[in-house]
Amino acid sequence: MQLDLFTITTILVFLSAIFGYINVRFLKMPNTIGLMFITILLTLAVFAWSYVDPTLLNVERYILSRIDFKTVLLDVMLSFLLFAGALHTDFEQLRKLRWPILSFATLGVMTSTVLVGTVTYYLLIALGMEVPYIHCLLFGALISPTDPIAVLGILKQAGVPKKLEAKIVGESLFNDGVGVVVFLTLFEIASPSEDAVSALGVLKLFGVEVFGGIALGLLLGWATYRLMRTIDDYDIEVIITLATVMTGTVMAHKLHVSAPLAMVVAGLMIGNDKLRNSAMSENTMIYVDKFWELIDILLNTLLFVLLGMEILVLTFDSNYLLAGIITIPVVLLCRYISLLFPISIFKQKLEFVPQTGIIMTWGGLRGAISIALALGLTAEMNRELFLLITYVVVVFSIIVQGLTVGKLVKKAQ
């Protein structure tokens, strides 16, 4: 069987449309949760049917074999999704909460990485699996960042207070970029190489990725603002924002800086009310916002259908599955602990809603980015083990936490 890229994309869009209809018409879950849930059920049904006729299973596996999920998400989709998310984020709320958000996204992610990695290391030893500590830290790095794609899609429908929503969304937008950089830094250390990796080299890699990404984002945002300010044509201005994301992503990869951070910063600048009011007419604002909302919805539906299909690439081993189930509370507890210090520092200066730590822990969802990073591990890094553990944590996070965070918020208030 040979299917070209357009046919595969058509199949995915068709499935997204059908599953989206079923969810809206019958299940009435948040779209991200519903799409993933239906796709997992369908994939399991196809897997069961394969004992009678393997045709459908072979088609699904062929589609997955033609799509490099890690590359498609991290190098293509992520930039569009983060830009769209940042564009529609309340800049003023983020500005007021900038210090707690930055501490959650840096100190929180790094603390969680070490905690999760250390506990996972001893947990795997207890289960009879000897895994190098650095590989456990890699798992800690890929599972610690909350996923802005999942968070943005679900919190809108959960009724979270605006101030708390700004903290969770702002943290997820930035800690995604920081988390990817931490993962890449640890990956560099864990990769076998003749050249020893020095502490200075690690700091340089981390600094260039993070600060380079932020600087590129500021440059892109400023250039886009200047261009849009000098014209009033909504068609061309929409294309300019699209060019910003596509060109900025290519530049980030060529310069070896963080594309996610660059897109978040550029999106926040262009979405800032003061800048957009002076650069865009009311008509242009409507078209720009609607265009990026549509991009966001389309890519989200495709992403969560793909995420559900990724169950086919897993190696189902009873020990791996048990490790994944036990890791769920470990990840949640480590996240809660990693938030305690930043919350205690800023609680006096800023108004925090009751039970902020618990809501941020339960509302900090893991998603497709963790899966993509796990897929990037090599066989020597225990890829199959950590991929299954990651998938178990992500499915629990999106379906169980995603469906119950609204109820938790109501109880906490």
Side-chain angles (χ1 to χ4, degrees):
M1 177 196 304
Q2 290 293 324
L3 298 175
D4 58 53
L5 192 57
F6 181 76
T7 305
I8 290 173
T9 306
T10 301
I11 292 170
L12 291 173
V13 171
F14 173 77
L15 289 174
S16 299
I18 295 298
F19 294 168
Y21 175 82
I22 291 169
N23 181 53
V24 172
R25 182 78 172 79
F26 301 107
L27 299 181
K28 304 187 189 303
M29 294 180 181
N31 282 330
T32 48
I33 300 173
L35 285 163
M36 185 177 173
F37 180 69
I38 294 168
T39 309
I40 289 174
L41 286 182
L42 177 72
T43 301
L44 292 174
V46 167
F47 194 77
W49 180 251
S50 69
Y51 290 99
V52 178
D53 183 352
T55 306
L56 283 175
L57 182 64
N58 291 337
V59 169
E60 199 167 339
R61 279 185 168 151
Y62 177 79
I63 289 171
L64 281 179
S65 72
R66 293 294 305 274
I67 298 170
D68 184 341
F69 185 81
K70 176 177 177 284
T71 302
V72 166
L73 176 59
L74 295 182
D75 294 349
V76 182
M77 282 181 149
L78 189 56
S79 290
F80 290 91
L81 289 164
L82 288 178
F83 181 85
L87 191 68
H88 298 120
T89 299
D90 189 334
F91 182 83
E92 279 306 306
Q93 280 285 0
L94 284 189
R95 189 182 64 78
K96 289 176 187 173
L97 300 167
R98 61 190 180 278
W99 295 119
I101 285 171
L102 286 174
S103 66
F104 292 144
T106 52
L107 185 62
V109 168
M110 291 178 191
T111 304
S112 177
T113 295
V114 174
L115 288 174
V116 171
T118 304
V119 176
T120 302
Y121 174 71
Y122 289 107
L123 169 65
L124 293 176
I125 288 175
L127 292 173
M129 289 178 270
E130 291 284 343
V131 176
Y133 182 62
I134 187 67
H135 297 166
C136 294
L137 281 180
L138 268 171
F139 170 69
L142 67 87
I143 206 68
S144 289
T146 54
D147 190 323
I149 302 161
V151 169
L152 287 164
I154 291 166
L155 285 190
K156 288 174 185 175
Q157 301 178 23
V160 175
K162 285 294 177 186
K163 285 187 177 180
L164 183 54
E165 184 182 331
K167 291 186 188 75
I168 300 174
V169 171
E171 178 211 7
S172 67
L173 285 170
F174 283 100
N175 77 6
D176 167 61
V178 173
V180 171
V181 173
V182 171
F183 175 84
L184 292 174
T185 305
L186 288 170
F187 190 92
E188 186 84 11
I189 296 169
S191 298
S193 172
E194 293 179 4
D195 301 321
V197 180
S198 65
L200 186 61
V202 168
L203 283 173
K204 185 180 176 184
L205 174 66
F206 188 84
V208 168
E209 284 271 352
V210 171
F211 295 109
I214 292 171
L216 179 61
L218 289 170
L219 178 64
L220 290 167
W222 178 82
T224 305
Y225 162 73
R226 296 297 299 176
L227 287 172
M228 294 174 77
R229 190 179 179 183
T230 55
I231 61 171
D232 183 16
D233 186 307
Y234 65 82
D235 291 331
I236 301 301
E237 289 179 78
V238 167
I239 293 170
I240 288 172
T241 60
L242 182 61
T244 296
V245 175
M246 297 177 78
T247 308
T249 303
V250 172
M251 288 174 67
H253 292 152
K254 296 292 182 187
L255 296 169
H256 302 291
V257 300
S258 173
L261 285 175
M263 290 306 105
V264 168
V265 172
L268 287 173
M269 276 189 73
I270 297 164
N272 178 5
D273 285 342
K274 290 179 182 177
L275 291 184
R276 65 192 272 136
N277 286 338
S278 64
M280 304 183 214
S281 65
E282 194 172 330
N283 206 28
T284 298
M285 284 186 208
I286 292 169
Y287 276 91
V288 167
D289 286 343
K290 291 299 178 187
F291 173 79
W292 283 103
E293 279 177 24
L294 182 60
I295 292 286
D296 191 27
I297 292 166
L298 176 61
L299 292 182
N300 255 306
T301 54
L302 289 172
L303 178 59
F304 279 88
V305 166
L306 273 173
L307 194 53
M309 292 173 71
E310 285 294 320
I311 197 171
L312 288 178
V313 306
L314 303 177
T315 300
F316 284 97
D317 177 288
S318 57
N319 278 341
Y320 292 5
L321 190 59
L322 178 61
I325 293 167
I326 297 173
T327 303
I328 292 169
V330 168
V331 169
L332 288 169
L333 182 61
C334 290
R335 170 160 170 81
Y336 180 75
I337 294 169
S338 71
L339 294 172
L340 287 177
F341 184 60
I343 288 174
S344 65
I345 292 176
F346 296 103
K347 199 168 188 178
Q348 302 301 322
K349 296 180 182 178
L350 296 163
E351 187 183 339
F352 276 40
V353 303
Q355 307 298 331
T356 291
I358 292 173
I359 297 171
M360 286 190 71
T361 297
W362 200 252
L365 309 178
R366 272 68 180 182
I369 292 162
S370 293
I371 300 287
L373 292 175
L375 283 165
L377 295 172
T378 63
E380 293 77 21
M381 295 172 181
N382 298 279
R383 179 181 181 272
E384 303 306 319
L385 165 64
F386 288 123
L387 183 57
L388 182 59
I389 293 175
T390 303
Y391 200 87
V392 170
V393 173
V394 167
V395 170
F396 178 88
S397 177
I398 291 174
I399 295 178
V400 178
Q401 291 174 233
L403 285 175
T404 55
V405 67
K407 293 175 185 175
L408 177 67
V409 169
K410 286 174 185 173
K411 283 186 179 179
Q413 287 178 312

